[in-house]
Amino acid sequence: PSGVWWTPPHLACCRDSSDSIPSNLQRLLQLTLPTPAQHGHEFSDECGICYSYTFGSHIPDTACQHCGKFFHHSCLIEWLGELPTSRKSFNTLFGNCPYCTKSISIKSSS
């Protein structure tokens, strides 16, 4: 059934069905998973390209105006720079959003 989290029998003793998947993973692996709050940010969305909350000391700060997905500035520049359909005019890259494929642009540093 949809929404059911299956647990291998040898791990059943470690899983609490009333707890979240990240909490169960932390308990099973005996570690603390990083969260945006640990980095001193109230930001809670991950980058749509690298799937990280932080890239060095940077948080995803560039959003697609169509779908609202956030990206790290450097990830989006690298993504658009590799696409053969992207173009550059002055210091701005133009291309398609990795999620919704609608137009997106970003100022580049060079």
Side-chain angles (χ1 to χ4, degrees):
S2 179
V4 174
W5 187 37
W6 179 80
T7 304
H10 67 283
L11 297 177
C13 66
C14 304
R15 181 177 158 274
D16 179 355
S17 60
S18 66
D19 216 346
S20 68
I21 292 173
S23 295
N24 276 298
L25 283 172
Q26 289 181 125
R27 187 174 28 265
L28 176 67
L29 300 174
Q30 298 178 347
L31 55 80
T32 301
L33 298 174
T35 64
Q38 290 174 325
H39 297 288
H41 304 293
E42 293 182 20
F43 195 78
S44 63
D45 213 357
E46 60 190 18
C47 175
I49 296 171
C50 74
Y51 302 109
S52 291
Y53 292 113
T54 59
F55 185 76
S57 62
H58 304 286
I59 61 171
D61 59 356
T62 304
C64 173
Q65 64 181 349
H66 302 285
C67 68
K69 189 66 180 169
F70 279 88
F71 307 98
H72 293 113
H73 185 266
S74 57
C75 290
L76 191 56
I77 286 178
E78 186 173 342
W79 176 272
L80 293 176
E82 295 297 320
L83 292 178
T85 56
S86 295
R87 69 187 197 294
K88 186 173 183 176
S89 178
F90 298 97
N91 285 340
T92 304
L93 281 169
F94 298 89
N96 296 328
C97 172
Y99 270 78
C100 69
T101 68
K102 295 195 178 185
S103 63
I104 192 169
S105 63
I106 189 168
K107 294 262 185 207
S108 64
S109 54
S110 59

